Amino acid sequence: MKTLVIVSHPEINNSQTQQFLLQGAKLQDVTWHHVEEISDLDVAQEQALLRENDRIIFQFPLYWYAAPEGLKHWEDEVLTRNFVYGDGDDNLSDKEFGIVVSTGMPLKEFRRGGSENITIDQIMAPYFAIADRAKMKILPTFTIAQFQYMDEQQQMQLLIDYQRFLTQKYPDTLSNRQAWFEQEFADRFKNFNDTNCTECETVLNTFIQRREDLEQLKNTIDLIKQGEDE
């Protein structure tokens, strides 16, 4: 699976959040695409990039309940009517669409009765509408609230969750999480080259064994339930 992260931020070099996410997005089959850096927008090239990827992510900070104007300009130029749904080719059909949005406000304020009095998903509705019209599969919104106040442990958890959001198979089930962690650990284990990492191999083998034990337990429970139903 190939993932395209379409990033919009007018001052990205000064954004701690986006610089952190940039490092997290340095994964195999993930393309970071910052729209404000595009000096001469080639619509055909941008549309080809969308076709080449399986998961499309819009990533931006929340500016007055919307994305920065750079993303709006990119949308208006690239997401033409014919490309999205009018030419009969279904260019984006069955691709996955997700949003990574950051905000300086606490997440608890984005609800009815909170200081914002609106939910994040309600704010994101126009983007979901485009994805729905394009017949895309919509992923849950990935919201980053008050990154500047996160401690190191919270940031590390955010990093893992972000990388899973970019590359893990959906839906976000336990089995898909297990498969993702197993694959990630195995891939990173290969990068140790000649370094002796017996403990790493032990951890990986233990993880695999426990995953298999859990799967066996699940199958046993299913058999018991079938027997009770009969």
Side-chain angles (χ1 to χ4, degrees), residues 69-112:
E69 63 178 351
L71 182 59
K72 183 62 168 66
H73 173 71
W74 182 91
E75 285 182 271
D76 290 343
E77 294 295 320
V78 178
L79 301 182
T80 61
R81 176 183 178 276
N82 281 341
F83 177 74
V84 173
Y85 66 91
D87 64 2
D89 290 337
D90 290 337
N91 295 291
L92 302 177
S93 178
D94 291 330
K95 293 182 183 294
E96 295 176 336
F97 174 77
I99 295 175
V100 176
V101 58
S102 58
T103 173
M105 293 293 292
L107 190 57
K108 66 180 181 179
E109 302 300 341
F110 290 93
R111 57 181 175 82
R112 291 298 179 188

Side-chain angles (χ1 to χ4, degrees), residues 62 65 105-106 109-119 123:
L62 196 60
Y65 311 104
M105 293 293 292
E109 302 300 341
F110 290 93
R111 57 181 175 82
R112 291 298 179 188
S115 63
E116 300 301 318
N117 202 36
I118 190 173
T119 68
I123 298 171

